[in-house]
Amino acid sequence: MNIHEYQAKQLFQQYRIPVPEGKQAVTPEQAVEIAKGLGGDGWVVKAQVHAGGRGKVGGVKLAKTAAEIDEFSRDLLGKRLVTIQTDATGLPVNSLLIENIYPIQREMYLSLLLDRASERLIFIASAAGGMDIETVAHETPEKIISVQVHPAAGLQGYQCRKVAYALGLQGPQHKAITAIMQGMYDLFLAKDASQIEINPLIETDSGDLLALDAKINFDDNAIAIHPDILAMKDASQEDDKENEAQQFGLNYITLDGNIGCMVNGAGLAMATMDLVKLKGGLPANFLDVGGGTNVEKVCEAFKLILSDGNVKAVLVNIFGGIVKCDVIAQGILEAIKQIHVAVPVVVRLEGTNVEQGRELLSNTGLNIYPADDLAHAAEQVVALAEAVA
Ligand code: GDP
Ligand code: MN
């Protein structure tokens, strides 16, 4: 799960990671009001969306007057912001973060994430941070260092010093970076984060370190035990189809291809997608309908798959273990009739009562292609999608 920058900065404050003073605004009037409350002679107006790359597309603006804050707020609120990290339709800007402008001496990069290869949390740091960190990673990877934290030993002083030297920090800044890293580490563990990123981490004119941007992702598998984090969820920033799927207990993820996939079991769904690709096709989605499938779920699954205009053919791959194949076949027929599925549907069933299931699906007069073997089913669905495309 993702949260907004303003929420991440609230969590940073709880863990003593220094952030600029600021507040969230949902109207231009409120934005001006907040700026007045903050005082000073310059403010940053930042679009709150669940994506980075805002700076490059006008999602972060520096204002010198109340009139400018009003203008920028009117400009951004209610718009959809398209950045390098969003899809072509972008994400809705429903709120802004208003902060004082800080004079930037230099921009650095610091993040903490799970390194699956070493099975440890790992800090990534670079003295060259800011909006072009991707270019740094690409062209001068030696400028980026990493530090692995042993889970039993915890974060060690020498590890913070290694990062401090890499960032070119001096004197009291060593103490400051140690506190920031410890705060990130504590926050990561306490809230079951999966990534914390500060880009840029800045040095101000007076040498202070400050998290100018804040991005936190959380582990969805642990979110249920963190109601405070769950309360920060903003459904407007997520895929509509994925939200809808959640309501029906379906596990759905939109992809770019044209072959809809309906499978029970996440592992089988992954294997099915692999096979579709192996046969030269591209899956339009990942969809796990779960163990106890029924007609309603199958109907909802079809609706989800077909609400994607790219879908040219559907592959249903269901293993009847908990539910029997004939019950599933019935569900598929019902769903296809109920919601008028027009595209060809290849169905591969296996498991209990598979013969009865296949019997039900043959000679229906509908656009259904029963298959008895998964490789063949994948080949068939790819051919059917190509024939339509
Ligand atoms: P992102 O592009 O979505 O990652 O948004 P950021 O929060 O990182 O902001 C992008 C850029 O805006 C930063 O790299 C800074 O250069 C600039 N910026 C943001 N806040 C301030 C500020 O308080 N003062 C100044 N001078 N620049 C800022
Ligand atoms: Mn940033």
Side-chain angles (χ1 to χ4, degrees):
M1 194 190 106
N2 287 338
I3 59 173
H4 286 294
E5 176 193 6
Y6 80 92
Q7 295 165 322
K9 283 178 169 169
Q10 285 165 3
L11 284 167
F12 276 11
Q13 277 181 310
Q14 285 175 31
Y15 286 82
R16 302 166 310 279
I17 299 165
V19 295
E21 256 197 88
K23 267 199 187 123
Q24 182 212 19
V26 295
T27 65
E29 294 74 25
Q30 215 183 352
V32 171
E33 206 53 40
I34 289 165
K36 279 187 183 149
L38 290 170
D41 55 3
W43 303 271
V44 194
V45 179
K46 307 184 80 173
Q48 296 300 285
V49 289
H50 283 187
R54 297 163 301 168
K56 288 200 166 150
V57 294
V60 177
K61 292 192 160 144
L62 304 184
K64 283 283 168 202
T65 62
E68 273 182 352
I69 293 176
D70 185 72
E71 181 195 331
F72 296 152
S73 302
R74 275 173 212 286
D75 229 35
L76 287 169
L77 283 169
K79 282 240 176 72
R80 292 183 76 90
L81 197 69
V82 179
T83 84
I84 192 160
Q85 294 183 12
T86 70
D87 64 15
T89 64
L91 290 170
V93 183
N94 298 322
S95 77
L96 307 165
L97 175 62
I98 312 298
E99 292 179 336
N100 275 126
I101 291 187
Y102 283 79
I104 300 175
Q105 187 62 37
R106 60 195 188 97
E107 303 194 346
M108 298 163 279
Y109 177 94
L110 183 63
S111 67
L112 178 60
L113 52 110
L114 178 67
D115 176 34
R116 289 175 193 278
S118 64
E119 301 178 353
R120 302 215 169 144
L121 293 190
I122 175 174
F123 279 96
I124 311 266
S126 174
M131 293 197 278
D132 290 312
I133 188 68
E134 285 86 359
T135 315
V136 176
H138 216 242
E139 287 169 12
T140 47
E142 68 279 2
K143 286 192 180 161
I144 297 176
I145 68 135
S146 67
V147 168
Q148 285 175 10
V149 185
H150 191 286
L155 182 60
Q156 300 287 308
Y158 77 90
Q159 296 179 311
C160 299
R161 284 193 290 280
K162 183 178 170 189
V163 168
Y165 288 125
L167 294 179
L169 300 178
Q170 319 266 339
Q173 290 175 338
H174 279 223
K175 212 170 161 183
I177 195 72
T178 301
I180 291 172
M181 288 173 69
Q182 190 66 52
M184 289 167 78
Y185 190 71
D186 293 344
L187 169 57
F188 198 105
L189 294 184
K191 304 293 182 189
D192 285 303
S194 56
Q195 181 172 8
I196 302 179
E197 185 186 70
I198 305 178
N199 186 35
L201 170 70
I202 62 152
E203 179 182 334
T204 65
D205 281 354
S206 47
D208 294 328
L209 301 184
L210 211 57
L212 215 62
D213 194 5
K215 189 163 177 30
I216 311 181
N217 296 329
F218 297 92
D219 181 349
D220 287 334
N221 295 308
I223 215 74
I225 58 168
H226 298 292
D228 56 332
I229 303 298
L230 194 55
M232 295 181 179
K233 193 181 175 84
D234 179 354
S236 80
Q237 302 293 313
E238 285 161 26
D239 188 301
D240 283 345
K241 290 207 282 288
E242 289 172 23
N243 283 334
E244 202 183 315
Q246 262 176 10
Q247 284 172 17
F248 290 94
L250 301 165
N251 199 349
Y252 176 95
I253 293 164
T254 310
L255 299 169
D256 295 332
N258 62 3
I259 295 172
C261 299
M262 187 193 308
V263 189
N264 66 338
L268 191 58
M270 298 296 281
T272 305
M273 288 160 54
D274 278 353
L275 214 55
V276 165
K277 259 204 122 158
L278 188 70
K279 300 296 180 187
L282 277 178
N285 66 279
F286 166 93
L287 174 57
D288 169 15
V289 290
T293 312
N294 54 33
V295 177
E296 197 203 3
K297 265 196 177 180
V298 174
C299 279
E300 286 310 320
F302 266 117
K303 278 189 208 160
L304 272 171
I305 290 175
L306 296 171
S307 63
D308 176 349
N310 294 329
V311 171
K312 298 285 183 284
V314 177
L315 173 56
V316 178
N317 182 22
I318 302 236
F319 179 79
I322 300 171
V323 273
K324 297 191 179 75
C325 289
D326 53 330
V327 176
I328 292 163
Q330 209 100 50
I332 293 169
L333 285 176
E334 193 66 34
I336 291 182
K337 282 181 196 155
Q338 261 188 38
I339 60 175
H340 310 290
V341 176
V343 299
V345 180
V346 177
V347 183
R348 184 259 184 172
L349 292 177
E350 196 52 78
T352 316
N353 290 357
V354 64
E355 296 307 331
Q356 291 96 310
R358 281 190 200 143
E359 182 69 34
L360 280 167
L361 293 177
S362 50
N363 307 318
T364 56
L366 298 166
N367 214 353
I368 300 178
Y369 299 76
D372 42 16
D373 156 80
L374 181 50
H376 178 228
E379 253 161 45
Q380 202 171 8
V381 79
V382 172
L384 285 164
E386 267 170 16
V388 182

